[in-house]
Amino acid sequence: QAGTVKFISNGLMLRSTIERQSEDNVWLDRNGDMIQTLVLQNYLFFGNATSVLKYISSMFDDIEVAKGSLLPPKPKYLVLDMSIVSGVDISAVDCFADVTSLCKTQGCKLIISGSSKMVRHALIAGNVKPASHPHLSFVEDLEAALGMAEDGLLKFVAHNEERIRKNHLRGAHLRRISQMDGEEIDIGLRLALKQIDEQHNLSFATYLQGLAAYTTAMDLEAGEQLDLPRGLYFVESGMIKAEADTSASLTRGRQKIFATPVLGRST
């Protein structure tokens, strides 16, 4: 008897036939595993749909890995192809509603391709619909789904990385100039405060520049951990994240600060 999943792939192994610029193809060759694809088959009910849900959930597990590990990144796009799914029962629809919610919380776009009218109507009746979940899309076939996922990666991830890289280089250049001019306030703090004002429609930068006397500029590599006490972190470019230390007590918690896999500079 055939299983529920016909095959599993990602954007490194399975690509659309869209012709792209060479630099876009090179980027997708390196980062295509941010697209994960599952081709489902047969009739879906509670048992086999639950297995699919558990497998998808594992894609987003937080696992500490050694540098150089081949473990793929958390997906930015998840493609579920249902071209050869014959039907779904109500409990399976509930499982896919959970998949939709999971993708939303993880910032992952969900694309369902090739579903028949009967399957699509069942999913929509179970609130698995783009009207309720903007991160969800139904498309005609797998080719369209792969093209949409690749376009999204190039537009929102690749180009954003390039913008962050340029901002980082610009900040480094301005920092060198400010040091040569003997300025007292680090230009990195100025840039970080300016971004806070712009992103939150505030005008506090001038009042907070007095914090310069208490800040230290640091350049971080992706994945680098900061074992520092609690404090304020002003990010000039890139991103950092805080993870709770589960071994700490309830009354004396502790957090670990990590640079995410883009250039980061903390002031």
Side-chain angles (χ1 to χ4, degrees), residues 218 220 224-230 233 243 245 254-259:
M218 302 180 68
L220 307 177
E224 183 176 348
Q225 177 180 335
L226 292 177
D227 190 12
L228 298 176
R230 292 177 182 271
Y233 297 88
E243 292 186 352
D245 186 351
R254 186 173 179 82
Q255 289 184 324
K256 298 177 180 178
I257 307 295
F258 293 89

mmCIF file of all heavy atoms in Angstrom, residues 218 220 224-230 233 243 245 254-259:
data_model
loop_
_atom_site.group_PDB
_atom_site.id
_atom_site.type_symbol
_atom_site.label_atom_id
_atom_site.label_comp_id
_atom_site.label_asym_id
_atom_site.label_seq_id
_atom_site.Cartn_x
_atom_site.Cartn_y
_atom_site.Cartn_z
ATOM 1 N N MET A 218 30.276 46.289 19.096
ATOM 2 C CA MET A 218 30.720 44.914 18.885
ATOM 3 C C MET A 218 30.307 44.463 17.495
ATOM 4 O O MET A 218 29.178 44.711 17.067
ATOM 5 C CB MET A 218 30.117 43.967 19.929
ATOM 6 C CG MET A 218 30.439 44.317 21.376
ATOM 7 S SD MET A 218 29.684 43.150 22.527
ATOM 8 C CE MET A 218 30.630 41.681 22.129
ATOM 9 N N LEU A 220 29.552 41.129 15.299
ATOM 10 C CA LEU A 220 29.194 39.746 15.562
ATOM 11 C C LEU A 220 29.151 38.939 14.278
ATOM 12 O O LEU A 220 28.701 39.429 13.243
ATOM 13 C CB LEU A 220 27.822 39.669 16.245
ATOM 14 C CG LEU A 220 27.627 40.513 17.504
ATOM 15 C CD1 LEU A 220 26.199 40.381 17.995
ATOM 16 C CD2 LEU A 220 28.613 40.095 18.586
ATOM 17 N N GLU A 224 27.081 33.637 16.481
ATOM 18 C CA GLU A 224 27.925 33.925 17.648
ATOM 19 C C GLU A 224 27.053 34.189 18.871
ATOM 20 O O GLU A 224 26.033 34.872 18.788
ATOM 21 C CB GLU A 224 28.822 35.125 17.359
ATOM 22 C CG GLU A 224 29.793 35.454 18.484
ATOM 23 C CD GLU A 224 30.720 36.590 18.124
ATOM 24 O OE1 GLU A 224 30.771 36.965 16.929
ATOM 25 O OE2 GLU A 224 31.395 37.110 19.042
ATOM 26 N N GLN A 225 27.457 33.650 20.005
ATOM 27 C CA GLN A 225 26.684 33.793 21.234
ATOM 28 C C GLN A 225 27.343 34.805 22.162
ATOM 29 O O GLN A 225 28.556 34.823 22.336
ATOM 30 C CB GLN A 225 26.571 32.450 21.954
ATOM 31 C CG GLN A 225 25.846 32.532 23.291
ATOM 32 C CD GLN A 225 25.757 31.185 23.978
ATOM 33 O OE1 GLN A 225 25.798 30.137 23.328
ATOM 34 N NE2 GLN A 225 25.642 31.181 25.290
ATOM 35 N N LEU A 226 26.510 35.651 22.769
ATOM 36 C CA LEU A 226 26.992 36.623 23.741
ATOM 37 C C LEU A 226 26.569 36.181 25.132
ATOM 38 O O LEU A 226 25.380 36.110 25.429
ATOM 39 C CB LEU A 226 26.406 38.008 23.449
ATOM 40 C CG LEU A 226 26.856 38.707 22.168
ATOM 41 C CD1 LEU A 226 26.117 40.028 22.023
ATOM 42 C CD2 LEU A 226 28.346 38.957 22.203
ATOM 43 N N ASP A 227 27.522 35.866 25.984
ATOM 44 C CA ASP A 227 27.212 35.476 27.351
ATOM 45 C C ASP A 227 27.359 36.710 28.233
ATOM 46 O O ASP A 227 28.312 36.867 28.995
ATOM 47 C CB ASP A 227 28.163 34.371 27.809
ATOM 48 C CG ASP A 227 27.717 33.761 29.142
ATOM 49 O OD1 ASP A 227 26.575 34.052 29.555
ATOM 50 O OD2 ASP A 227 28.510 33.045 29.768
ATOM 51 N N LEU A 228 26.383 37.622 28.081
ATOM 52 C CA LEU A 228 26.444 38.902 28.770
ATOM 53 C C LEU A 228 25.250 39.056 29.713
ATOM 54 O O LEU A 228 24.215 38.398 29.533
ATOM 55 C CB LEU A 228 26.434 40.053 27.756
ATOM 56 C CG LEU A 228 27.611 40.116 26.779
ATOM 57 C CD1 LEU A 228 27.395 41.244 25.788
ATOM 58 C CD2 LEU A 228 28.915 40.324 27.532
ATOM 59 N N PRO A 229 25.374 39.911 30.721
ATOM 60 C CA PRO A 229 24.244 40.151 31.625
ATOM 61 C C PRO A 229 23.129 40.887 30.901
ATOM 62 O O PRO A 229 23.271 41.329 29.762
ATOM 63 C CB PRO A 229 24.866 41.012 32.730
ATOM 64 C CG PRO A 229 26.023 41.698 32.070
ATOM 65 C CD PRO A 229 26.564 40.681 31.093
ATOM 66 N N ARG A 230 22.024 41.026 31.590
ATOM 67 C CA ARG A 230 20.893 41.743 31.007
ATOM 68 C C ARG A 230 21.282 43.177 30.670
ATOM 69 O O ARG A 230 22.105 43.789 31.350
ATOM 70 C CB ARG A 230 19.704 41.758 31.982
ATOM 71 C CG ARG A 230 19.080 40.389 32.212
ATOM 72 C CD ARG A 230 17.972 40.491 33.239
ATOM 73 N NE ARG A 230 17.381 39.186 33.508
ATOM 74 C CZ ARG A 230 16.371 38.683 32.838
ATOM 75 N NH1 ARG A 230 15.840 39.365 31.850
ATOM 76 N NH2 ARG A 230 15.876 37.492 33.144
ATOM 77 N N TYR A 233 20.407 46.384 23.935
ATOM 78 C CA TYR A 233 21.210 46.092 22.749
ATOM 79 C C TYR A 233 20.662 46.924 21.590
ATOM 80 O O TYR A 233 19.499 46.797 21.215
ATOM 81 C CB TYR A 233 21.153 44.604 22.416
ATOM 82 C CG TYR A 233 21.744 43.730 23.501
ATOM 83 C CD1 TYR A 233 20.954 43.275 24.550
ATOM 84 C CD2 TYR A 233 23.089 43.398 23.480
ATOM 85 C CE1 TYR A 233 21.496 42.501 25.561
ATOM 86 C CE2 TYR A 233 23.640 42.623 24.484
ATOM 87 C CZ TYR A 233 22.843 42.174 25.522
ATOM 88 O OH TYR A 233 23.389 41.416 26.519
ATOM 89 N N GLU A 243 17.352 33.881 23.572
ATOM 90 C CA GLU A 243 16.757 32.590 23.863
ATOM 91 C C GLU A 243 16.817 32.341 25.356
ATOM 92 O O GLU A 243 17.858 32.550 25.989
ATOM 93 C CB GLU A 243 17.490 31.462 23.122
ATOM 94 C CG GLU A 243 17.299 31.497 21.618
ATOM 95 C CD GLU A 243 17.923 30.288 20.937
ATOM 96 O OE1 GLU A 243 18.623 29.527 21.634
ATOM 97 O OE2 GLU A 243 17.725 30.126 19.717
ATOM 98 N N ASP A 245 17.195 30.424 28.768
ATOM 99 C CA ASP A 245 17.969 29.281 29.236
ATOM 100 C C ASP A 245 17.057 28.426 30.112
ATOM 101 O O ASP A 245 16.715 28.798 31.235
ATOM 102 C CB ASP A 245 19.182 29.762 30.038
ATOM 103 C CG ASP A 245 20.104 28.614 30.439
ATOM 104 O OD1 ASP A 245 19.701 27.451 30.247
ATOM 105 O OD2 ASP A 245 21.214 28.890 30.944
ATOM 106 N N ARG A 254 17.677 33.466 32.829
ATOM 107 C CA ARG A 254 18.849 33.922 32.098
ATOM 108 C C ARG A 254 18.553 33.780 30.612
ATOM 109 O O ARG A 254 17.850 32.877 30.189
ATOM 110 C CB ARG A 254 20.078 33.079 32.470
ATOM 111 C CG ARG A 254 21.377 33.599 31.841
ATOM 112 C CD ARG A 254 22.557 32.824 32.383
ATOM 113 N NE ARG A 254 23.805 33.255 31.796
ATOM 114 C CZ ARG A 254 24.506 34.305 32.185
ATOM 115 N NH1 ARG A 254 24.061 35.030 33.180
ATOM 116 N NH2 ARG A 254 25.641 34.635 31.613
ATOM 117 N N GLN A 255 19.107 34.658 29.821
ATOM 118 C CA GLN A 255 18.918 34.602 28.382
ATOM 119 C C GLN A 255 20.252 34.536 27.674
ATOM 120 O O GLN A 255 21.250 35.050 28.153
ATOM 121 C CB GLN A 255 18.142 35.837 27.885
ATOM 122 C CG GLN A 255 16.674 35.841 28.286
ATOM 123 C CD GLN A 255 15.956 37.013 27.679
ATOM 124 O OE1 GLN A 255 16.508 38.086 27.550
ATOM 125 N NE2 GLN A 255 14.702 36.806 27.299
ATOM 126 N N LYS A 256 20.242 33.866 26.529
ATOM 127 C CA LYS A 256 21.406 33.826 25.669
ATOM 128 C C LYS A 256 21.114 34.678 24.442
ATOM 129 O O LYS A 256 20.020 34.615 23.888
ATOM 130 C CB LYS A 256 21.716 32.388 25.240
ATOM 131 C CG LYS A 256 22.054 31.447 26.392
ATOM 132 C CD LYS A 256 22.282 30.034 25.882
ATOM 133 C CE LYS A 256 22.618 29.084 27.019
ATOM 134 N NZ LYS A 256 22.805 27.696 26.535
ATOM 135 N N ILE A 257 22.079 35.474 24.031
ATOM 136 C CA ILE A 257 21.913 36.340 22.876
ATOM 137 C C ILE A 257 22.704 35.757 21.715
ATOM 138 O O ILE A 257 23.880 35.430 21.851
ATOM 139 C CB ILE A 257 22.415 37.772 23.172
ATOM 140 C CG1 ILE A 257 21.751 38.315 24.458
ATOM 141 C CG2 ILE A 257 22.138 38.684 21.997
ATOM 142 C CD1 ILE A 257 20.263 38.493 24.345
ATOM 143 N N PHE A 258 22.035 35.575 20.568
ATOM 144 C CA PHE A 258 22.674 35.002 19.382
ATOM 145 C C PHE A 258 22.536 35.981 18.220
ATOM 146 O O PHE A 258 21.507 36.629 18.068
ATOM 147 C CB PHE A 258 22.018 33.680 18.973
ATOM 148 C CG PHE A 258 22.213 32.565 19.955
ATOM 149 C CD1 PHE A 258 21.316 32.376 20.985
ATOM 150 C CD2 PHE A 258 23.294 31.701 19.836
ATOM 151 C CE1 PHE A 258 21.486 31.336 21.888
ATOM 152 C CE2 PHE A 258 23.471 30.665 20.728
ATOM 153 C CZ PHE A 258 22.570 30.490 21.761
ATOM 154 N N ALA A 259 23.573 36.044 17.378
ATOM 155 C CA ALA A 259 23.448 36.744 16.102
ATOM 156 C C ALA A 259 22.810 35.781 15.117
ATOM 157 O O ALA A 259 23.218 34.621 15.023
ATOM 158 C CB ALA A 259 24.822 37.191 15.603
#
